[in-house]
Amino acid sequence: MPRETVVITGVGIVSAIGIGQQDYFDALLEGRNAVRSLADRTDGEATPAPDEAIDGVWIGAPIIDFQAKQYVKPRKALKVMCREIQTAFASAQLAIEHAGLADSIPASDSGAVPPERLGAVFGSEIFFNPPEELADAMRGCIDESGQFHPERFGQSAQREVMPLWMLKYLPNMPACQVGISLNSQGPNNSLVLGDVSGPAALLEAESYLNRGIADVVLVGATGTRIGSTRMLYHRDLPVPRRDGGPIEGLSRPHDPEAPGVVGGEGAGSLVVETRQHAEKRGADVLATVLATASRFSPTDAIRSGYREPEPDAAHSRQASNAIELAIQAVLQQSGLPPQQIGLVVSHAVGDRQVDSGEANALAETGVSCPVVAISAALGHTGAASGVLELATGALALAKKTIPPTRHGGSHPGIHFAASPEPLKSPFVLCLSHTTDGSAMAVLLG
């Protein structure tokens, strides 16, 4: 069966530096930075005490003053959407608008996309509820002497927890809620694969288009590393240490002296369709998906069974072998020599080991073009990171511009642009990878 040409025709972004593709890319070009004290957050989640030092988990990149009610309709649906679902929903609406499909959504038989030909697939992660949502149920388990009785929790929760509470936190709800709003009756799926969730969703969407079971697919991902409950677990990556330096300079991807990983939050969506369908409806093509590859090779931390968060742990978290295999695969699929790649959208997050693995893989595969690392501005956005990197690659191609990376890395094999540069070769390599050893490479042109 001949392979369909898959194109990206819309981008929707909800990020700490901008909402909407134009604001986001302008912010990248201007070198804006969202890393700050979590005392500034406006989402009602955990903040430091007034006299507490702003360091470690209290440093992040929150989205300030996000108004979900501007995007979620009907508004009553908000009560069954946690923040990650809300940002995913908003990014999907923005992508539909950017793709020129707003007048055809919700899908109908007389519109540009029939409902059964419209799909949705989202990368996701575990959504942790804020602790206070279960506080009353927990209190109901404590007797007069102060002893906690876990066997009482079920009965207490029935009285104290909202009946639809679980719908707010199921990882498959972004794809579900988006699908309902679009009247998408085509394929629908959710992938929970850590940092590669978004690119894996794109790979899934490609299969829908190539199998002929959809003409248009909404691809997205959402995530956070600064939710109150998520902040309690930080044994997977090194927590940043300020050491008296400026807060905004703490997220330093590809810096061998990086102080740790700054948490962030965000969501992104892409409208992908067959080129034939895009041309038929007169859509503007932002980028063509030339090749995708998913590879796995366990990291030393996984092989050994020791996952330590120290910056220079004895058992490395870097996935260089998997990244190298993924890059080699997309080069082979596309027939493109590494010298022709014009930009790498990096997944470096400020973890010395993770970032060095990517740098080593680029060197081994002969890729030596300019690099942009969006985590310098956004922090690490968890499952959202991969799709935000894809969106950045598509916009760089559409605008023929390489965005700068605010914090220039000192790794000898990495070249960050200090200011916006013209994209000299129309091929962009987007990378994402995990500390387990999963890696994905997507080549856009």
Side-chain angles (χ1 to χ4, degrees), residues 207-279:
S207 77
Y208 302 158
L209 299 172
N210 278 298
R211 284 185 282 155
I213 61 175
D215 295 319
V216 179
V217 184
L218 242 292
V219 173
T222 182
T224 182
R225 283 183 168 263
I226 57 171
S228 299
T229 306
R230 177 62 175 84
M231 289 164 61
L232 297 174
Y233 175 76
H234 45 77
R235 292 287 300 172
D236 50 348
L237 292 172
V239 174
R241 297 176 182 174
R242 186 176 175 186
D243 291 332
I247 291 177
E248 65 273 14
L250 285 181
S251 186
R252 301 212 298 270
H254 279 308
D255 184 345
E257 301 301 321
V261 178
V262 174
E265 61 173 338
S269 291
L270 309 172
V271 174
V272 300
E273 51 191 306
T274 62
R275 181 178 291 278
Q276 181 180 12
H277 188 272
E279 290 176 347

Side-chain angles (χ1 to χ4, degrees), residues 65-388:
D65 294 329
F66 170 67
Q67 299 294 327
K69 62 185 179 182
Q70 295 180 9
Y71 306 97
V72 178
K73 295 180 178 58
R75 288 188 182 178
K76 65 181 181 180
L78 283 170
K79 67 182 180 181
V80 290
M81 292 185 184
C82 67
R83 185 170 173 88
E84 294 95 319
I85 299 174
Q86 293 173 10
T87 57
F89 193 99
S91 73
Q93 299 299 319
L94 291 165
I96 287 290
E97 182 179 340
H98 188 216
L101 285 170
D103 293 339
S104 302
I105 298 298
S108 66
D109 290 334
S110 60
V113 190
E116 69 275 10
R117 305 295 298 172
L118 177 61
V121 54
F122 270 71
S124 192
E125 62 186 15
I126 296 174
F127 300 146
F128 296 96
N129 63 280
E132 61 268 21
E133 287 198 2
L134 299 181
D136 288 340
M138 290 293 186
R139 290 190 190 98
C141 300
I142 302 173
D143 65 19
E144 295 78 4
S145 66
Q147 184 176 354
F148 185 81
H149 295 271
E151 70 276 7
R152 297 182 183 178
F153 181 75
Q155 186 176 8
S156 180
Q158 289 181 36
R159 295 193 307 267
E160 305 294 348
V161 178
M162 181 184 75
L164 299 178
W165 170 83
M166 185 174 290
L167 292 181
K168 292 179 67 174
Y169 301 105
L170 290 173
N172 66 328
M173 290 309 291
C176 175
Q177 294 283 12
V178 168
I180 291 171
S181 72
L182 303 180
N183 192 28
S184 164
Q185 299 176 23
N188 186 290
N189 205 356
S190 303
L191 302 176
V192 181
L193 299 168
D195 297 4
V196 301
S197 298
L202 175 63
L203 185 61
E204 179 89 353
E206 275 193 290
S207 77
Y208 302 158
L209 299 172
N210 278 298
R211 284 185 282 155
I213 61 175
D215 295 319
V216 179
V217 184
L218 242 292
V219 173
T222 182
T224 182
R225 283 183 168 263
I226 57 171
S228 299
T229 306
R230 177 62 175 84
M231 289 164 61
L232 297 174
Y233 175 76
H234 45 77
R235 292 287 300 172
D236 50 348
L237 292 172
V239 174
R241 297 176 182 174
R242 186 176 175 186
D243 291 332
I247 291 177
E248 65 273 14
L250 285 181
S251 186
R252 301 212 298 270
H254 279 308
D255 184 345
E257 301 301 321
V261 178
V262 174
E265 61 173 338
S269 291
L270 309 172
V271 174
V272 300
E273 51 191 306
T274 62
R275 181 178 291 278
Q276 181 180 12
H277 188 272
E279 290 176 347
K280 182 179 179 180
R281 69 179 187 87
D284 293 329
V285 172
L286 305 175
T288 300
V289 181
L290 300 178
T292 53
S294 174
R295 297 292 184 269
F296 177 77
S297 178
T299 63
D300 184 44
I302 289 297
R303 288 182 183 276
S304 67
Y306 293 96
R307 302 185 68 177
E308 305 133 316
E310 287 76 17
D312 301 302
H315 304 281
S316 177
R317 298 175 291 271
Q318 59 96 355
S320 59
N321 191 45
I323 302 167
E324 183 178 341
L325 291 171
I327 295 172
Q328 289 172 342
V330 294
L331 294 176
Q332 183 177 13
Q333 289 175 34
S334 63
L336 192 74
Q339 296 79 10
Q340 287 193 30
I341 294 175
L343 173 66
V344 170
V345 184
S346 167
H347 187 65
V349 292
D351 181 321
R352 302 172 193 172
Q353 294 188 338
V354 168
D355 298 0
S356 67
E358 182 180 284
N360 293 340
L362 290 171
E364 288 296 321
T365 52
V367 178
S368 58
C369 61
V371 173
V372 60
I374 62 174
S375 67
L378 304 178
H380 183 14
T381 56
S385 56
V387 82
L388 290 173

